[in-house]
Amino acid sequence: MSSSYLPATTGSLEEASEAKSPSEAISILYRILESPSSSSDALRIKELAINNLSDLLRKENRAEELKNLLSRLRSFFSLIPKAKTAKIVRGVVDAVAKIPGTSDLQIALCKEIVHWTRAEKRTFLRQRIEARLAALLMENKEYSEALTLLSGLIKEVRRLDDKLLLVDIDLLESKLHFSLRNLPKAKAALTAARTAANAIYVPPAQQGTIDLQSGILHAEEKDYKTAYSYFYEAFEAFNALEDPQAIYSLKYMLLCKVMVSQADDVAGIISSSKVGLQYQGAELDAMKAVADAHSKRSLKLFEVALRNFRAQLDEDPIVHRHLSSLYDTLLEQNLCRLIEPFSKVEIAHIAELIELPADHVEKKLSQMILDKKFAGTLDQGAGCLVIFDDPKTDAIYPATLDTISNMGKVVDSLYVRSAKIMA
């Protein structure tokens, strides 16, 4: 232990707060933590010093030092109650999470803490850190490891009946299954989260997260009106808390409006007093561009919006999935409308009319022919599309089936009557 330690007193904390630079303040706080005193006042001062030190290291983006801080504090943790230890550890983990580009470091830190808590038999803290680790693994797209971790954790927490933690874990499991495209399991996990939440008081932020996930799952089932209601509830909760997730709830609300062909409502929602200038930015500009393209039925504007707002549209998996479906539908409708007057037409001419690259149009027409969206064939040698007349359905076969069915009913009726007479 260093001989240059400072006593764990209020005066030492004031000295750190009056330091001329963050580095000097950090050095003073480290010296306070090295104080050998273990009186109740000294322990309280050290707790404050740890909180201040975490804030300073976070502001200085010294993530590695924050990770090492927890290792240095293990002897201190043996002197304070387990509940306070859990609060400090989770505070340091939160501080590391606020530093950009530290996902790998957070995963390593959480694994280290889990190993330590298992050795120390600190079950309460371990379960919460394991839930945090599963969320980080999911964000890092390490789905199989996250699912394995969650499976064991859910069984353990259900035995203990810790409903608040169970809501978090069930919600996380729902998100994980959704990422793996397993919609039935995602819905089952969300139902479990709602059931657990109904038995306890759920903080507004957590309720907002439940509503957001509910909206995402309903949108996946094409129930956009119900999804809009859930996104609105999530937006109300996050907006009241000034949570960054409010912008995403609002973005998905606008997406639902576009998907139910109410794109004209988007501009009104964006300019409303509740949204106002608070949420103006690239996310809303992207949805406004998509709504404008949809209102004008312009595939060219749609392409421009996807290109100009790639990060907000293409890189958001939820928005990308629905807009891809919408784009394909609009493209097919426009192509069917354009080729309707022709029996044979050059692909280049269709591409010119629809203002899209010829190879893109040719690929889509080929797909539509295979899907039997219209009858035709591609003459690639001549660069033409040949459209066949729709084959007329021969009405004699359905009529024959109807006649046979009616005769069957008559025979059955006669059989019933004859049975009554014979009786």
Side-chain angles (χ1 to χ4, degrees), residues 7-120:
T9 61
T10 307
S12 299
L13 283 178
E14 289 175 356
E15 185 181 340
S17 65
E18 292 168 2
K20 295 178 182 178
S21 67
S23 297
E24 186 183 342
I26 289 168
S27 176
I28 293 169
L29 290 169
Y30 272 127
R31 289 167 64 194
I32 293 172
L33 295 179
E34 288 176 355
S35 170
S37 176
S38 57
S39 66
S40 58
D41 286 340
L43 293 176
R44 182 178 57 81
I45 295 296
K46 284 183 181 181
E47 284 178 45
L48 293 172
I50 291 166
N51 292 335
N52 295 345
L53 184 58
S54 298
D55 288 340
L56 284 170
L57 291 174
R58 175 182 59 79
K59 289 173 184 175
E60 293 293 299
N61 291 337
R62 290 157 73 166
E64 194 65 45
E65 273 193 56
L66 272 169
K67 179 176 177 289
N68 295 333
L69 177 62
L70 285 178
S71 300
R72 295 179 63 168
L73 290 174
R74 285 180 186 174
S75 58
F76 172 70
F77 290 151
S78 63
L79 302 174
I80 62 174
K82 288 185 177 181
K84 285 188 176 180
T85 299
K87 184 180 177 182
I88 291 170
V89 171
R90 291 167 72 185
V92 172
V93 173
D94 288 340
V96 175
K98 290 175 184 175
I99 300 173
T102 58
S103 59
D104 290 338
L105 184 69
Q106 288 178 63
I107 290 171
L109 175 59
C110 287
K111 286 181 177 178
E112 187 180 304
I113 295 169
V114 167
H115 182 72
W116 174 70
T117 50
R118 282 190 185 280
E120 294 286 318

Side-chain angles (χ1 to χ4, degrees), residues 73-302:
L73 290 174
R74 285 180 186 174
S75 58
F76 172 70
F77 290 151
S78 63
L79 302 174
I80 62 174
K82 288 185 177 181
K84 285 188 176 180
T85 299
K87 184 180 177 182
I88 291 170
V89 171
R90 291 167 72 185
V92 172
V93 173
D94 288 340
V96 175
K98 290 175 184 175
I99 300 173
T102 58
S103 59
D104 290 338
L105 184 69
Q106 288 178 63
I107 290 171
L109 175 59
C110 287
K111 286 181 177 178
E112 187 180 304
I113 295 169
V114 167
H115 182 72
W116 174 70
T117 50
R118 282 190 185 280
E120 294 286 318
K121 296 181 180 179
R122 295 175 182 257
T123 306
F124 178 88
L125 177 58
R126 175 181 57 76
Q127 289 171 344
R128 279 147 184 80
I129 296 298
E130 280 185 338
R132 183 68 168 265
L133 176 58
L136 289 167
L137 290 169
M138 186 183 73
E139 287 174 15
N140 229 28
K141 298 185 178 179
E142 296 176 33
Y143 299 127
S144 58
E145 190 178 347
L147 196 57
T148 304
L149 182 61
L150 271 185
S151 299
L153 188 58
I154 287 171
K155 291 176 185 175
E156 188 180 341
V157 173
R158 278 185 181 149
R159 281 199 305 271
L160 295 172
D161 201 30
D162 186 343
K163 284 192 166 45
L164 192 59
L165 180 58
L166 192 58
V167 171
D168 278 335
I169 295 171
D170 284 332
L171 197 53
L172 185 58
E173 187 188 17
S174 177
K175 292 177 182 177
L176 183 56
H177 284 304
F178 178 75
S179 300
L180 292 168
R181 312 297 304 129
N182 191 334
L183 199 58
K185 285 193 175 182
K187 288 170 66 179
L190 181 62
T191 302
R194 283 190 171 282
T195 304
N198 287 337
I200 57 167
Y201 168 75
V202 176
Q206 197 173 37
Q207 185 61 54
T209 307
I210 292 172
D211 289 332
L212 183 61
Q213 182 67 7
S214 299
I216 290 169
L217 294 183
H218 277 87
E220 188 68 17
E221 295 182 316
K222 312 296 182 188
D223 185 2
Y224 294 109
K225 288 186 177 179
T226 306
Y228 180 88
S229 301
Y230 277 117
F231 289 138
Y232 182 78
E233 291 295 330
F235 173 71
E236 290 276 297
F238 292 136
N239 183 52
L241 296 168
E242 298 183 357
D243 191 298
Q245 289 191 84
I247 185 67
Y248 296 105
S249 304
L250 179 58
K251 181 181 176 182
Y252 300 150
M253 281 168 58
L254 301 179
L255 173 67
C256 290
K257 283 291 184 184
V258 172
M259 295 305 292
V260 294
S261 300
Q262 294 177 0
D264 294 337
D265 295 347
V266 169
I269 294 171
I270 291 174
S271 60
S272 67
S273 58
K274 184 172 285 188
V275 177
L277 298 173
Q278 186 178 357
Y279 296 106
Q280 296 297 328
E283 300 288 353
L284 297 193
D285 289 343
M287 296 312 300
K288 192 174 181 182
V290 169
D292 187 47
H294 185 272
S295 297
K296 295 176 181 176
R297 299 286 177 182
S298 171
L299 286 167
K300 185 179 180 181
L301 288 176
F302 217 116

